[in-house]
Amino acid sequence: MSTRLIQGPAVTTLPIDHRGRQVLLDAYAYQGNNEHEQILALIHRSPEADPDVVPIVRLHSGCVTGDVFHSLRCDCYQQLQLALDAICTAPLGAIVYLPYQEGRGIGLYKKLLAYGRQDRGADTIEANVEIGVPVDARDYEFAAWVLRDIGFRTVTLLSGNPLKKSALVKNGIQVNKCAPLKSASNRYNERYIRTKRKRMSHDI
Ligand SMILES: [Zn+2]
């Protein structure tokens, strides 16, 4: 992507309720090349943080069904909560939230089309192939740009997805460590998590 038209950041503070505790985060929003591509970086910074501390970062692709409605078909909500646990207790950390990468980048409508195929027996990869969309259409160039803009050039990445790490490295971010978030499976997402682990090389 060209980074020519990026606007931002719009900056404010965002108090959130995380597991019953009030946490104050710095919120940075950016707009990419079109109004559809927007990123929210929520940063936790403790006042006594060492200036050289390596920040903990989660790149989280938006999932309306999971993040908002706590769907059990995926593990997005659990991963977001586990990431917030880590970030809100770290001296320096950020959730970089990518709402436009819904459904691994294919959008809400096609994600539900793929779910329909999965209801009839396909796994998460076969379903995408059947409806003619990429298995993973996400890209992290804009996210890497945002990380550089907030001054995070070396990070510990909360992810077990090797594609995220290599995309960041390719775009100038050093990843000193990957720490996968281990979410628990349930009877609705068991197959999805198994497919991510076995067929997409995710360490989860
Ligand atoms: Zn999800």
Side-chain angles (χ1 to χ4, degrees):
M1 70 171 258
S2 148
T3 52
R4 196 166 48 93
L5 299 173
I6 291 176
Q7 293 181 51
V11 183
T12 187
T13 53
L14 195 70
I16 64 163
D17 180 321
H18 177 58
R19 302 196 197 266
R21 192 165 74 91
Q22 292 182 356
V23 186
L24 199 59
L25 301 171
D26 295 329
Y28 288 64
Y30 294 83
Q31 182 167 287
N33 291 330
N34 58 60
E35 288 192 9
H36 169 70
E37 279 180 16
Q38 310 220 2
I39 285 183
L40 173 67
L42 290 176
I43 304 172
H44 177 260
R45 206 186 294 272
S46 87
E48 59 273 14
D50 184 320
D52 295 328
V53 72
V54 174
I56 294 178
V57 169
R58 166 76 181 167
L59 301 183
H60 194 88
S61 298
C63 175
V64 168
T65 47
D67 299 340
V68 180
F69 297 103
H70 309 178
S71 161
L72 300 174
R73 288 191 73 136
C74 59
D75 56 351
C76 300
Y77 177 70
Q78 271 192 73
Q79 298 234 325
L80 187 57
Q81 296 307 304
L82 291 169
L84 278 169
D85 289 344
I87 283 157
C88 293
T89 50
L92 183 61
I95 302 265
V96 177
Y97 191 81
L98 318 165
Y100 62 99
Q101 306 228 96
E102 171 80 40
R104 293 200 300 267
I106 63 173
L108 183 60
Y109 169 67
K110 287 183 176 154
K111 180 171 87 170
L112 263 67
L113 271 185
Y115 275 179
R117 297 296 177 127
Q118 290 171 36
D119 294 342
R120 295 190 283 282
D123 72 19
T124 183
I125 295 178
E126 293 156 354
N128 282 34
V129 172
E130 280 179 23
I131 64 168
V133 296
V135 171
D136 196 336
R138 294 175 292 186
D139 92 70
Y140 297 101
E141 195 182 340
F142 185 17
W145 189 96
V146 167
L147 286 174
R148 288 198 302 275
D149 196 61
I150 60 179
F152 288 9
R153 288 177 177 274
T154 301
V155 301
T156 291
L157 189 63
L158 295 176
S159 175
N161 179 355
L163 290 179
K164 272 188 193 168
K165 181 186 174 186
S166 57
L168 285 186
V169 170
K170 200 174 84 189
N171 286 289
I173 302 295
Q174 274 195 40
V175 178
N176 80 334
K177 193 176 142 199
C178 272
L181 298 166
K182 303 283 183 187
S183 45
S185 61
N186 63 59
R187 67 194 172 104
Y188 301 101
N189 71 10
E190 236 162 32
R191 189 176 181 212
Y192 164 80
I193 289 177
R194 202 168 51 236
T195 304
K196 280 211 294 188
R197 195 179 292 137
K198 290 208 167 132
R199 299 190 63 191
M200 300 168 80
S201 310
H202 287 206
D203 177 16
I204 51 175

